[in-house]
Amino acid sequence: MEINQLRHFLAVYDNRSMGRAAKHLGMTQPALSQSIRRLEETFGVKLFDRTARGVVPTQFADALGSRARTISLEARGVIEDIDALRGLERGNLVIAASPGPSASIVPEAVKRLHRIRPNLRITVIEGTSDNVIAAVCDGEADIGILPEWKTRKDYELAGEPLMYGMMVVVAGRSHPLLKSATIGWKDALACAWLLAPKGDLLRLSFEDILKRLDLELPINHVESASASVIRNLLSSGEYLSFLPRDFIINEEREGTLVPVQISGGNTWKRDLYILYRQKEVLSPAAAALIKQLHSATADLAREVGWIDVPARHKRGKVMEGKRKR
């Protein structure tokens, strides 16, 4: 059995199609089918049932699935470790981040890391907190950056604090509400709003705040999880939204989006965490990224004044090295 055969197996297992898996791997379908047949011969069992609509994993494929993913990830880590020791500084690094950090801290950390490791191939995936957790759990991402996290039953996760930030009500600079000397919650809730979809952490946080104030969600609202849609609609000056302040950090610098000062409460706590798989040793690339994330966050905190960082990182001291298995 070869490592590449496990990669081929996982592509078919995840895509449920030989054609889609072959396209994902950049190989021909006959070559992929032959690789799967050899793997089936090695184990002496049938891994997939072929149907007109694709392939269906057998019980043997399900049993192999999680172990094959772990072996594949470990093999990739070994290759990257050896390359790092040889001074080649190559490898792949996948980062999954929620919209806030992907707009502020992640780009700066990636830029700094790429300067010192130009041969490293870096991929950044943006998604909701649930998407980030799933990507880290399933091995699609090496590191996750998100506001909250929880351990999934099928994989033990570990997290460390990156930033202590805040949530704010946001508006475009031309929003008519900003002309008022004082703005109350009832005035704000009478406006049109942009809200995160039901069940999203942002939406749940906003609902909790309103519940404690004995207020209802605004009737006039649009729901979207798209960062570009949210930014564009807010810039029109017709909507309010409840967002992480780091999500609008670039627009706030430019003056296109601004936090709204609401009497009776202006800001709410919002922490960011770095997430990784506790059972695995971090690759040198992932450890280097974490170092740059802490460095970039500490610099940002000094610039804006409303961000705080863990005490051990305030003077550039960062957590280095590998985590225990």
Short mmCIF file of all heavy atoms in Angstrom, two decimals, residues 65 128 315 318:
data_model
loop_
_atom_site.label_atom_id
_atom_site.label_comp_id
_atom_site.label_asym_id
_atom_site.label_seq_id
_atom_site.Cartn_x
_atom_site.Cartn_y
_atom_site.Cartn_z
N GLY A 65 -11.85 4.98 6.09
CA GLY A 65 -11.90 6.43 5.89
C GLY A 65 -11.13 7.27 6.89
O GLY A 65 -10.22 8.02 6.53
N THR A 128 -17.98 30.28 7.90
CA THR A 128 -18.57 30.47 9.22
C THR A 128 -17.77 29.69 10.26
O THR A 128 -16.92 28.86 9.92
CB THR A 128 -20.02 29.99 9.23
OG1 THR A 128 -20.03 28.56 9.01
CG2 THR A 128 -20.85 30.68 8.15
N ARG A 315 4.65 41.70 24.39
CA ARG A 315 5.99 42.21 24.08
C ARG A 315 6.68 41.36 23.03
O ARG A 315 7.90 41.26 23.00
CB ARG A 315 6.84 42.27 25.35
CG ARG A 315 6.29 43.26 26.38
CD ARG A 315 7.18 43.34 27.59
NE ARG A 315 6.67 44.30 28.56
CZ ARG A 315 7.23 44.54 29.75
NH1 ARG A 315 8.33 43.87 30.09
NH2 ARG A 315 6.72 45.42 30.57
N VAL A 318 5.98 34.86 21.96
CA VAL A 318 4.94 34.02 21.40
C VAL A 318 5.19 32.57 21.74
O VAL A 318 6.30 32.16 22.07
CB VAL A 318 4.84 34.17 19.86
CG1 VAL A 318 4.50 35.59 19.49
CG2 VAL A 318 6.15 33.76 19.21
#
